Amino acid sequence: MTNLINQKDTIKPQDTEILISVENLSKKFCRDLKQSLLYGIQDIATELIGKNRNSNTLRQKEFWALKDITFQLRRGEALGLVGANGAGKSTLLRIISGLIKPDIGCIKVRGKVAPLIALGAGFNPILTGRENIYANMSILGLSIKEIKERFSDVIDFAEIGDAIDAPVQTYSSGMAARLGFACAVHIEPDILLIDEVLAVGDINFRMKCYQRLAKLREQGTAFILVSHNPHVVLNVCESSIYLAKGKLIKVGKTEVVIKKYEEDFSLGGVDIHQGKMFLPKKSPEQSLGVDIVSLCFQDEQGNIILTLDCGEPAYLCVECQANKQIINANVGVLITALSGQNERILYITSASDNQTLKILPGKVEIQMQMPYCCLLPGLYSAKIYIKEGVCSFDIVESFRFAVKSSKVISQSLFYQPRIWKVISNKL
């Protein structure tokens, strides 16, 4: 039997620090709209005549969006929620916020909830920003007096200036998102539900959002953060939940959960080149003078590295077939993160390092020797090209690889090679 509760007195006094308690929660959906409407009518009719509907079994074209989810969120805690698209993350947030009901299980929510699931989604496009602030914050539980007291702070935080008296339909998506975030954080909720909304705005606005969240957390606000960027989750949340196809795969310390998520990510549908990647041979008509024939990582002894180890030496080896002499070749390597939002992590060229690379006709190998691999554990894609001036000879769009680590460095944004020394008797 479903038990959805959103009242302040639902949690026992000895559990006062628990703001969200989820026990064996499950939710199913139907992939066919007409069939879904029919099931809805049948369920309503079943409840009207006082019978219990069988929520434990799937009917035709139904699937479990969430299945047997159990966890708790305490006051002041930041909980990460990770998983691929379709894992059930947004469904879980919608159930917690009260937008939809679970089919099975029990969820208890204590305190005021501010869902940042789709910033600006609740705004009326015809109304002005000023009118939408009053409407939105009223829905989130504030009185008119409280809204007036915080109104100027909301406008200042959203940075929309004179546009506050213009219809929201004239706003850019970024302006509407900033206004939605400002409304939500200024109600000072007990629980914040954040679904991929911290990517809005420029870097300065994002930093302001994180600072505001940190302040709210100091005051006791707890939040659940959904993000496809593992570095954001690692640096904000001490504990996390990993969902896959509606099932709870792992819950615990964030670095352990993220490691499991990325391991599964690399094995499930993402083609990681574990070894040497060979490129198709080009015909004389296709070749522009230098062709990349293979790519791999090697150690200092020349052995192929299947997975890079953070903090250990690694050589990127670009094997080429040169059909002519190149006096001043320029090799470029652009690395992006696969497990985040395809952010550019690193861009290196031999020309920017003032390295002159001379290529003679025949088969040659160009090495980018890294004394230490400074990439954090995760999944990456390298775009590699060879040029001379503005003339481009060959390019590989994606050489995918993984980086692991035996060290605890997950809370960092990059790996810093270092040596520790103690110098005694220094005056």
Side-chain angles (χ1 to χ4, degrees):
M1 181 180 294
T2 300
N3 183 11
L4 178 64
I5 308 174
N6 282 289
Q7 297 178 2
K8 291 196 175 183
D9 298 328
T10 57
I11 296 176
K12 297 177 182 179
Q14 60 266 33
D15 298 329
T16 53
E17 291 304 306
I18 299 176
L19 298 184
I20 296 178
S21 178
V22 175
E23 298 177 10
N24 303 317
L25 184 143
S26 297
K27 177 65 181 177
K28 58 185 176 182
F29 291 115
C30 182
R31 300 185 187 279
D32 184 87
L33 178 59
K34 291 183 179 179
Q35 195 73 32
S36 178
L37 293 172
L38 177 61
Y39 290 153
I41 295 172
Q42 291 175 349
D43 292 340
I44 292 172
T46 300
E47 292 181 358
L48 286 175
I49 61 177
K51 290 186 178 181
N52 290 327
R53 57 190 178 95
N54 188 2
S55 300
N56 294 295
T57 59
L58 293 177
R59 294 168 288 192
Q60 187 179 10
K61 296 184 180 180
E62 285 187 330
F63 68 97
W64 291 112
L66 293 171
K67 184 64 174 175
D68 296 328
I69 307 299
T70 298
F71 70 93
Q72 292 180 338
L73 179 71
R74 296 180 178 274
R75 184 172 298 280
E77 182 182 4
L79 181 69
L81 188 56
V82 299
N85 290 330
K89 304 184 299 296
S90 296
T91 299
L92 180 57
L93 293 192
R94 284 176 168 83
I95 291 175
I96 294 172
S97 63
L99 296 176
I100 56 177
K101 293 183 178 182
D103 290 298
I104 305 171
C106 173
I107 174 170
K108 299 177 183 179
V109 179
R110 180 178 188 270
K112 188 187 300 180
V113 180
L116 299 178
I117 297 174
L119 289 181
F123 288 161
N124 187 324
I126 300 176
L127 299 180
T128 66
R130 182 184 301 274
E131 292 165 336
N132 270 293
I133 289 176
Y134 277 91
N136 189 270
M137 296 183 77
S138 295
I139 293 172
L140 292 175
L142 264 64
S143 66
I144 298 297
K145 179 182 178 182
E146 289 172 322
I147 297 172
K148 287 181 178 179
E149 291 172 351
R150 306 176 194 191
F151 186 83
S152 60
D153 292 334
V154 172
I155 297 177
D156 292 341
F157 192 94
E159 300 176 359
I160 59 175
D162 296 336
I164 191 62
D165 289 311
V168 167
Q169 63 186 0
T170 65
Y171 289 10
S172 66
S173 58
M175 290 171 65
R178 293 200 304 271
L179 185 58
F181 187 94
C183 288
V185 297
H186 280 86
I187 71 167
E188 298 179 357
D190 297 292
I191 303 165
L192 268 172
L193 306 179
I194 309 170
D195 188 1
E196 287 288 1
V197 297
L198 294 181
V200 302
D202 55 25
I203 184 64
N204 291 329
F205 184 77
R206 290 200 298 271
M207 289 301 297
K208 187 163 65 172
C209 291
Y210 285 120
Q211 290 169 1
R212 178 68 181 179
L213 290 177
K215 183 178 179 181
L216 288 173
R217 192 175 174 193
E218 290 175 359
Q219 296 170 354
T221 297
F223 57 86
I224 299 177
L225 172 64
V226 175
S227 178
H228 286 100
N229 188 332
H231 300 317
V232 170
V233 179
L234 282 164
N235 284 278
V236 174
C237 306
E238 295 90 354
S239 57
S240 290
I241 294 173
Y242 168 26
L243 295 178
K245 297 181 179 179
K247 295 182 180 179
L248 181 61
I249 304 300
K250 197 170 188 64
V251 58
K253 290 186 177 180
T254 295
E255 59 188 43
V256 177
V257 173
I258 291 293
K259 183 178 180 182
K260 172 64 177 172
Y261 169 54
E262 292 190 330
E263 286 175 353
D264 291 351
F265 189 76
S266 64
L267 296 174
V270 178
D271 182 20
I272 302 298
H273 300 289
Q274 296 185 333
K276 182 173 280 191
M277 175 185 176
F278 293 94
L279 284 304
K281 185 177 180 180
K282 292 184 175 66
S283 65
E285 294 79 17
Q286 293 175 317
S287 177
L288 297 176
V290 179
D291 303 328
I292 300 175
V293 297
S294 72
L295 295 166
C296 69
F297 285 102
Q298 295 180 4
D299 60 18
E300 295 171 301
Q301 289 72 43
N303 303 310
I304 292 178
I305 301 175
L306 300 181
T307 303
L308 275 65
D309 199 342
C310 185
E312 298 298 324
Y315 298 172
L316 174 61
C317 301
V318 184
E319 190 176 14
C320 305
Q321 177 65 47
N323 302 320
K324 62 181 181 180
Q325 178 175 297
I326 307 299
I327 301 299
N328 192 10
N330 177 25
V331 177
V333 180
L334 192 158
I335 297 176
T336 56
L338 284 175
S339 52
Q341 297 172 323
N342 293 322
E343 307 99 326
R344 179 182 293 184
I345 302 297
L346 191 63
Y347 184 34
I348 299 173
T349 67
S350 58
S352 62
D353 291 339
N354 297 319
Q355 294 290 312
T356 301
L357 303 179
K358 184 177 181 180
I359 300 177
L360 299 176
K363 186 165 284 189
V364 298
E365 183 177 88
I366 303 170
Q367 292 186 351
M368 185 182 77
Q369 299 182 350
M370 297 182 290
Y372 303 95
C373 172
C374 294
L375 295 172
L376 284 177
L379 306 173
Y380 299 91
S381 176
K383 179 178 180 180
I384 301 165
Y385 64 78
I386 300 178
K387 292 182 177 181
E388 185 180 39
V390 296
C391 179
S392 179
F393 298 111
D394 202 2
I395 184 170
V396 177
E397 291 291 342
S398 180
F399 173 54
R400 297 181 175 184
F401 61 95
V403 178
K404 63 179 182 179
S405 176
S406 57
K407 308 175 180 68
V408 180
I409 60 172
S410 299
Q411 297 301 316
S412 305
L413 289 177
F414 68 96
Y415 175 76
Q416 173 59 57
R418 64 270 189 188
I419 298 174
W420 300 91
K421 287 185 178 180
V422 176
I423 302 175
S424 302
N425 300 323
K426 188 172 182 180
L427 299 178

